[in-house]
Amino acid sequence: MKIDVADAGAGEEFTSRFDPRAFCGGVAAKLKRPRFLGIVASAALAMTMARKANGRVDGFVIEGVSAGGHNAPPRGPMQLSDEGEPVYGERDVPDLEKIRELGLPFWLAGSYGAPGKLAEALALGATGIQAGTAFASCEESGITSELKAQVIGLSREGNARVFTDPVASPTGFPFKVLQVEGTLSDSETYGARKRICNLGYLRRAYKKLDGSLGYRCPAEPVADYVRKGGLEADTVGRKCVCNGLLAAIGLARVDGVSDEPALLTAGVEVANIVQFVKPGSETYSSAEVVERLLKTED
Ligand SMILES: Cc1cc2nc3c(=O)[nH]c(=O)nc-3n(C[C@H](O)[C@H](O)[C@H](O)COP(=O)(O)O)c2cc1C
């Protein structure tokens, strides 16, 4: 498989090999091919994928800009609002007409985890919806109970907000950061954290001067990144998504010096998650979310 390598010369190709036979120590097991559903934010990308992929594309998740996690960047040059968030416009609204014409099943995502939205998606020709934000704070979610209670409390007070951070994620894609005191959204907490790259899930391969491959991440210690040929400007405001998300599920690195602060992500709909909490309760289950999402009217 071809891999993307920073600082590689034009036309230079790097590949990663995986041999199932060697890995299994003999005959490799026959694997069942899972369905391939591309997650895209535009009809153009869906069309390119459907027509040019060298394998079967079984459908698409069409994800709008209000969705939790990473978001696609706006089309065209990046422009930031006064608050520092990417500015999205009409061109960023996926053209469902073109997507329907592809004739493949699709699911709509991004603020579809609300009552009535499933029916709306079906009416638009979708096979269903994908929701994340509604489930991230439910009882079965791996996020710690303390953080979930904090987020539900913020929604109840009308103070649950997300910031679409253009630089937080080492991937370079905009990333929705839920604003919660004591987590990495807090500039004091962020500033007090000592940078470390000990997990490396988002590292990027780069070509070293001697031609071999190394790995770097713009959220690692700045001096390390610069020594590896990265630009200092690319390290500004980067957040360690690896450690931050693990801390959010109670697996924070504890080295005796400092505990890793959590990093929370959610979509714009987080403002309304308190709707899933029944009177007399402080929490809600995934079944209660499904029950409410299947309701056609409130
Ligand atoms: C806590 C959280 C983590 C997510 N992690 C991923 C991820 O690792 N990969 C991915 O493709 N989408 C991820 N998403 C996006 C969801 O798969 C889904 O498309 C999105 O949440 C739908 O929009 P909604 O947030 O308005 O419900 C995540 C969403 C949330 C809320």
Side-chain angles (χ1 to χ4, degrees):
M1 190 169 80
K2 256 201 268 181
I3 58 169
D4 184 37
V5 174
D7 302 341
E12 241 180 319
E13 258 188 25
F14 290 86
T15 51
S16 176
R17 276 185 62 79
F18 175 73
D19 182 351
R21 214 173 307 155
F23 183 79
C24 296
V27 182
K30 262 217 152 72
L31 299 179
K32 189 165 170 261
R33 180 191 183 278
R35 278 199 291 174
F36 177 85
L37 305 177
I39 307 176
V40 297
S42 72
L45 200 55
M47 277 149 59
T48 308
M49 214 180 248
R51 290 187 187 141
K52 299 205 176 141
N54 60 2
R56 194 173 80 233
V57 175
D58 299 298
F60 296 100
V61 174
I62 315 290
E63 205 190 61
V65 297
S66 66
H70 286 95
N71 299 136
R75 306 283 292 277
M78 176 73 95
Q79 283 181 31
L80 300 180
S81 66
D82 290 345
E83 290 76 34
E85 293 181 293
V87 177
Y88 291 91
E90 293 237 319
R91 288 174 66 204
D92 300 301
V93 180
D95 183 342
L96 293 185
E97 185 60 50
K98 290 214 173 88
I99 287 162
R100 278 191 293 266
E101 280 169 17
L102 291 173
L104 290 168
F106 62 92
W107 288 258
L108 292 176
S111 299
Y112 278 87
K117 296 296 283 184
L118 172 62
E120 187 185 309
L122 296 176
L124 289 168
T127 296
I129 61 162
Q130 173 164 286
T133 298
F135 293 102
S137 295
C138 77
E139 285 150 14
E140 292 87 345
S141 154
I143 294 172
T144 66
S145 305
E146 293 78 16
L147 286 170
K148 287 188 285 191
Q150 232 175 320
V151 179
I152 292 171
L154 287 171
S155 170
R156 181 173 283 121
E157 295 160 14
N159 288 327
R161 297 198 208 302
V162 288
F163 179 73
T164 307
D165 195 321
V167 295
S169 172
T171 64
F173 284 92
F175 186 67
K176 287 249 179 342
V177 178
L178 183 52
Q179 306 295 294
V180 181
E181 223 180 286
T183 70
L184 282 178
S185 64
D186 199 329
S187 55
E188 221 171 280
T189 307
Y190 172 70
R193 177 183 180 267
K194 198 167 170 288
R195 284 184 177 226
I196 184 174
C197 185
N198 58 330
L199 298 171
Y201 305 128
L202 297 176
R203 292 178 309 175
R204 185 168 179 207
Y206 74 99
K207 189 180 152 193
K208 293 190 195 174
L209 290 176
D210 68 5
S212 64
L213 289 193
Y215 289 92
R216 69 187 184 210
C217 174
E220 74 183 324
V222 177
D224 291 350
Y225 188 69
V226 172
R227 182 174 44 76
K228 296 174 185 177
L231 296 177
E232 186 167 349
D234 289 342
T235 66
V236 179
R238 297 284 180 205
K239 295 187 163 143
C240 180
V241 170
C242 297
N243 273 294
L245 293 184
L246 281 177
I249 58 164
L251 297 175
R253 176 182 66 99
V254 184
D255 59 13
V257 184
S258 66
D259 289 358
E260 280 288 353
L263 174 64
L264 286 173
T265 185
V268 172
E269 268 302 302
V270 70
N272 303 318
I273 56 159
V274 73
Q275 68 176 305
F276 301 112
V277 183
K278 293 206 166 131
S281 184
E282 297 292 319
T283 61
Y284 63 89
S285 67
S286 55
E288 283 167 327
V289 174
V290 173
E291 184 192 325
R292 203 167 158 78
L293 298 191
L294 291 175
K295 270 171 73 170
T296 43
E297 273 165 49
D298 208 10

